């Protein structure tokens, strides 16, 4: 909002000013535009003589949006890849004039990211004000490894004992994140 006094630039009358009024004092996000808002200042002297002038009121939004984050969990798939979105991390970010975009510093995750990862959510409002928050993305590998076995023949020694190894029975077992 603004006032008639703020718009007044030294209006005067020899007998004195009785009142200053402004055609519009309250403004909203709808008044932010490339074309300025024109208001009329009405000056009334003590003898009820009236004159007007116009002024330009430029409305600016310099208030940062409120960025709110929440933690998310990403499950890797059988190829060792997983992802999340800015919307999933967003926890109700807001702005009086509206949010234009939400972006996340990292959306794709692999086996190298298993565990806790800090990401940054960037919230940009419709008037290009930017704010950020951070969240934890917990990456989990819950996909079972593929266990492949093959038959093995064990030759007993002269004491009746024999052995084999896991490597000998393994027939190409695999896991996207690796075999421990």
């Amino acid at each position: 909002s603004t006032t008639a006094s703020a718009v007044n630039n030294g209006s005067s009358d020899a007998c004195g000013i009785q009142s200053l009024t402004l055609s519009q004092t309250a403004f909203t996000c709808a008044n932010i535009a490339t074309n300025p808002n024109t208001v009329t200042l009405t000056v009334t002297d003590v003898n009820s003589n009236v004159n007007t002038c116009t002024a330009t009121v430029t409305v600016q939004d310099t208030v940062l949006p409120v960025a709110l984050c929440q933690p998310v969990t990403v499950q890797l798939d059988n190829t060792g890849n997983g992802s999340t979105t800015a919307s999933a991390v967003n926890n109700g970010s807001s702005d009086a004039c509206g949010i234009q975009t939400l972006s996340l510093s990292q959306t794709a995750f692999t086996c190298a990211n298993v565990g806790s990862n800090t990401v940054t959510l960037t919230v940009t409002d419709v008037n290009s004000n930017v704010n950020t928050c951070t969240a934890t993305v917990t990456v989990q590998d819950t996909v079972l490894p593929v266990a492949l076995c093959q038959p093995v023949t064990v030759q007993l020694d002269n004491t009746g004992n024999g052995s084999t190894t896991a490597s000998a029975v393994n027939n190409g077992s695999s896991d996207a994140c690796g075999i421990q």
Side-chain angles (χ1 to χ4, degrees), residues 150 152 154 163-170:
Q150 63 186 349
V152 174
V154 174
S163 65
T164 188
T165 64
S167 296
V169 175
N170 182 39

Side-chain angles (χ1 to χ4, degrees), residues 35-177:
N35 297 325
N37 301 280
T38 301
V39 294
T40 302
L41 176 67
T42 302
V43 180
T44 306
D45 73 9
V46 294
N47 296 308
S48 300
N49 296 307
V50 176
N51 201 358
T52 62
C53 63
T54 60
T56 299
V57 175
T58 302
V59 179
Q60 296 177 331
D61 172 17
T62 59
V63 178
L64 300 180
V66 175
L68 299 174
C69 290
Q70 64 186 349
V72 296
T73 299
V74 171
Q75 301 289 337
L76 297 180
D77 62 16
N78 62 351
T79 66
N81 294 295
S83 65
T84 190
T85 63
S87 295
V89 171
N90 183 36
N91 193 23
S93 299
S94 62
D95 186 82
C97 293
I99 300 227
Q100 181 175 327
T101 60
L102 298 171
S103 63
L104 199 58
S105 60
Q106 182 180 358
T107 58
F109 299 90
T110 66
C111 297
N113 304 116
V114 170
S116 295
N117 302 270
T118 301
V119 295
T120 301
L121 176 69
T122 301
V123 180
T124 305
D125 73 11
V126 295
N127 295 304
S128 301
N129 297 302
V130 177
N131 203 355
T132 62
C133 59
T134 58
T136 299
V137 174
T138 303
V139 177
Q140 296 178 337
D141 173 17
T142 58
V143 176
L144 300 176
V146 176
L148 299 175
C149 299
Q150 63 186 349
V152 174
T153 302
V154 174
Q155 297 294 328
L156 299 179
D157 63 16
N158 60 358
T159 64
N161 295 306
S163 65
T164 188
T165 64
S167 296
V169 175
N170 182 39
N171 191 22
S173 298
S174 63
D175 185 83
C177 291

Side-chain angles (χ1 to χ4, degrees), residues 2-11 17 19-22 25 41-43:
T2 191
T3 64
S5 297
V7 173
N8 184 35
N9 192 24
S11 300
I17 302 286
S19 66
L20 299 170
T21 59
L22 198 58
T25 59
L41 176 67
T42 302
V43 180

